[in-house]
């Protein structure tokens, strides 16, 4: 395993162990909780997430403009969009179907004791469908960038890139500038990645220090069913899709997913992980920038298989807890709603629970049921985000391969895109 990847994995393990120890032995020690967990760990983790988010907007914009200009023609862009959106939707449907089947088979939630629970949860409404389409077009692209609205940024970057290509000679210098800027922003990503072991340690340690394992006990069947469904999707379904649709080696793929999966796990945000996902797709998996710069940010926004799996298991759990019998039509409704909701709620933060609210409303289940599972949601959110990001990369590889935009030698090279920890590339400062 490469140096940096190994350090990040180690930071996760040591972080988890430190967090559990703090939770078990120092949860009541104010100094530890205030200054170490709420102070030091919180600050380092928050700085790490902020520095990742800092790169998302410049990277997506610069990279996508550069990518579109190298596509050659609009037909390719159209074909790629259709493939990406269809594959993202199909994988999400498979994900939720697996989740529902598994949760029904094990009857998760049937023995849950709701007695005395005063939990309450107020759902948030999803945006009306017409607004979803209208909101894809930024009335002010600067505002879109300032608020990090990914779909709006994608739309503006596509249009800008297309216009550049159509501008002939005059567009050429700007295209060259964007390609150079892309290299610079990618270097910024690499600098932040080198600091990742500290950020990952702080985030994981804080999560485990504040999320007591005892919360999981009453929800163990929900937790395990969800974990198994996520594992099955990531380790069986994705490799099958990858092998079946592109012939690429799934083991090589999974090995290369370690960086983005661990970033996704520690930050619990596909959006904040975009810089790492994009770098992995291009430098490690060998996907051409023209494909990855489009499919990765799009996937981080609309493709949430792990989240869909959570919706499936949570729906069955809540139905069982409240003793509601769902029909086959209800289940089909859940599949449709969760798939469409993942696109509809694209630009909304904290998307998982809003989607779940929509799904529960659709089949007439009480939205307060969400309060029962919210206590363990953070750790599950980390796992499903890792699954979400893996799905984005699977689809990216499949599309790139079908467009002859994947460099198989890079894909197969275990050392491709490896980053060493040492800052040997930094020029020596002048005395
Ligand atoms: N945290 C998830 C992600 O960013 C979304 C969710 O499930 O809430 O991919």
């Amino acid at each position: 395993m490469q140096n940096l990847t190994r350090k990040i994995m180690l930071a996760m393990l040591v972080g988890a162990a430190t967090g559990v120890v703090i939770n078990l032995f120092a949860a009541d020690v104010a100094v530890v909780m205030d200054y170490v967990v709420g102070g030091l760990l919180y600050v380092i983790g928050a700085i790490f997430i902020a520095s990742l988010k800092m790169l998302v907007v410049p990277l997506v914009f610069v990279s996508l403009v550069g990518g579109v200009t190298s596509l050659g023609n609009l037909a390719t862009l159209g074909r790629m969009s259709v493939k990406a959106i269809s594959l993202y939707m199909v994988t999400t449907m498979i994900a939720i179907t697996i989740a529902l089947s598994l949760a029904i088979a094990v009857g998760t939630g049937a023995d849950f004791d709701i007695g005395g629970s005063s939990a309450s949860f107020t759902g948030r409404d999803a945006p009306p469908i017409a607004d979803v389409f209208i909101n894809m077009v930024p009335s002010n692209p600067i505002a879109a960038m300032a608020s990090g609205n990914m779909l709006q940024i994608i739309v503006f970057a596509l249009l800008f890139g297309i216009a550049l290509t159509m501008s002939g000679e005059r567009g050429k210098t700007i295209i060259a500038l964007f390609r150079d800027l892309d290299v610079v922003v990618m270097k910024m990503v690499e600098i932040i990645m080198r600091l990742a072991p500290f950020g990952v340690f702080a985030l994981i340690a804080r999560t485990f220090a504040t999320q007591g394992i005892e919360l999981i006990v009453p929800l163990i069947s929900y937790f395990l069913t969800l974990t198994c469904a996520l594992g099955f999707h990531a380790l069986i379904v994705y490799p099958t899709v990858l092998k079946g649709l592109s012939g690429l080696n799934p083991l090589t793929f999974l090995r290369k997913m370690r960086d983005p999966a661990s970033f996704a796990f520690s930050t619990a945000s596909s959006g904040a992980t975009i810089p790492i996902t994009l770098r992995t797709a291009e430098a490690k998996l060998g996907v051409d920038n023209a494909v990855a710069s489009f499919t990765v940010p799009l996937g981080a926004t609309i493709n949430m298989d792990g989240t869909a799996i959570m919706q499936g298991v949570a729906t069955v759990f809540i139905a069982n807890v409240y003793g509601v019998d769902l029909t086959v039509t209800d289940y089909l409704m859940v599949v449709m709603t969760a798939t469409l909701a993942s696109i509809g709620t694209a630009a909304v933060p904290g998307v998982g629970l809003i989607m779940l609210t929509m799904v529960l409303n659709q089949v007439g289940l009480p939205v307060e049921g969400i309060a029962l599972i919210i206590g363990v949601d953070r750790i599950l959110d980390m796992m499903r985000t890792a699954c979400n990001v893996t799905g984005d990369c699977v689809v990216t590889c499949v599309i790139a391969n079908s467009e002859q935009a994947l460099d198989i030698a890079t894909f197969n090279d275990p050392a491709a895109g490896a980053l060493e920890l040492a800052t040997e590339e930094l020029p020596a400062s002048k005395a």
Side-chain angles (χ1 to χ4, degrees):
M1 215 189 291
Q2 284 106 31
N3 203 354
L4 182 66
T5 305
R6 195 172 53 221
K7 285 254 158 53
I8 295 174
M9 310 291 274
L10 197 68
M12 289 174 73
L13 289 179
V14 180
T18 312
V20 170
V21 169
I22 294 180
N23 188 271
L24 289 178
F25 302 109
D28 301 326
V29 186
V31 182
V32 175
M33 291 318 275
D34 293 349
Y35 293 104
V36 179
V37 178
L40 194 65
L41 295 177
Y42 169 69
V43 171
I44 297 177
I47 291 180
F48 176 59
I49 295 201
S51 39
L52 282 173
K53 287 190 175 162
M54 163 176 80
L55 300 178
V56 173
V57 174
L59 180 63
V60 170
F61 184 64
V62 165
S63 182
L64 188 49
V65 169
V68 176
T69 56
S70 57
L71 268 181
N73 60 51
L74 277 182
T76 317
L77 180 61
R79 202 172 50 233
M80 236 165 58
S81 314
V82 173
K83 281 188 202 170
I85 294 172
S86 326
L87 273 173
Y88 283 145
M89 286 181 75
V90 171
T91 48
T92 305
M93 281 176 149
I94 299 177
I96 186 152
T97 310
I98 291 171
L100 284 173
S101 318
L102 193 65
I104 295 169
V106 300
T108 179
D111 49 5
F112 184 83
D113 179 17
I114 198 178
S117 163
S118 57
S120 71
F121 178 84
T122 322
R124 273 172 57 192
D125 288 338
I129 194 77
D131 285 0
V132 171
F133 289 106
I134 299 171
N135 287 339
M136 280 167 71
V137 184
S139 53
N140 177 347
I142 306 294
M145 291 188 198
S147 61
N149 185 321
M150 202 46 64
L151 283 189
Q152 294 191 346
I153 298 172
I154 292 178
V155 168
F156 183 68
L158 288 178
L159 186 62
F160 193 79
I162 292 167
L164 271 182
T165 323
M166 291 163 70
S167 304
E169 274 311 307
R170 286 181 178 250
K172 283 206 174 117
T173 30
I174 304 183
I175 293 178
L177 175 72
F178 268 88
R179 300 222 173 120
D180 290 348
L181 275 176
D182 189 32
V183 175
V184 177
V185 186
M186 246 336 157
K187 282 281 169 233
M188 293 173 78
V189 175
E190 291 174 7
I191 296 171
I192 302 293
M193 281 181 79
R194 290 197 163 98
L195 302 174
F198 303 101
V200 166
F201 168 82
L203 286 174
I204 303 261
R206 180 165 181 265
T207 307
F208 280 87
T210 48
Q211 305 272 312
I213 304 288
E214 70 281 355
L215 277 177
I216 297 177
V217 176
L219 289 162
I220 197 78
S221 85
Y222 170 72
F223 195 90
L224 289 183
T225 313
L226 188 35
T227 309
C228 289
L230 287 171
F232 184 81
H233 198 65
L235 302 176
I236 308 286
V237 176
Y238 285 149
T240 313
V241 169
L242 186 74
K243 184 83 191 154
L245 296 183
S246 68
L248 294 167
N249 185 331
L251 286 180
T252 311
F253 171 84
L254 287 177
R255 234 174 268 130
K256 295 189 172 207
M257 281 309 297
R258 277 189 292 233
D259 280 351
S262 46
F263 273 74
F265 185 80
S266 355
T267 61
S269 162
S270 328
T273 310
I274 288 177
I276 317 303
T277 318
L278 196 52
R279 185 182 182 280
T280 303
E282 293 179 9
K284 292 196 169 187
L285 297 168
V287 176
D288 196 296
N289 167 260
V291 175
S293 64
F294 174 63
T295 55
V296 167
L298 184 70
T301 322
I302 69 167
N303 182 48
M304 296 188 183
D305 296 355
T307 308
I309 287 176
M310 179 274 277
Q311 332 266 302
V313 178
T315 306
V316 176
F317 176 82
I318 293 171
N320 280 337
V321 168
Y322 288 92
V324 179
D325 276 332
L326 295 178
T327 62
V328 176
T329 326
D330 287 331
Y331 288 125
L332 286 177
M333 210 55 148
V334 172
V335 174
M336 291 312 294
T337 319
T339 308
L340 294 176
S342 68
I343 296 183
T345 48
V348 198
V351 81
L353 292 181
I354 302 179
M355 282 164 62
L356 184 55
T357 315
M358 284 174 76
V359 171
L360 295 179
N361 275 336
Q362 193 68 40
V363 290
L365 283 170
V367 172
E368 309 85 79
I370 296 180
L372 303 174
I373 52 174
I374 212 157
V376 289
D377 197 61
R378 171 69 197 189
I379 292 178
L380 292 169
D381 192 3
M382 294 157 79
M383 294 197 233
R384 64 180 185 253
T385 309
C387 177
N388 289 345
V389 167
T390 309
D392 301 340
C393 286
V394 169
V395 170
T396 297
C397 284
V398 169
I399 296 178
N401 190 61
S402 74
E403 295 287 332
Q404 278 87 43
L406 186 136
D407 181 34
I408 193 73
T410 308
F411 183 93
N412 286 330
D413 176 4
L419 269 184
E420 290 302 315
L421 261 184
T423 45
E424 74 288 346
E425 285 164 31
L426 291 182
S429 58
K430 294 205 179 76

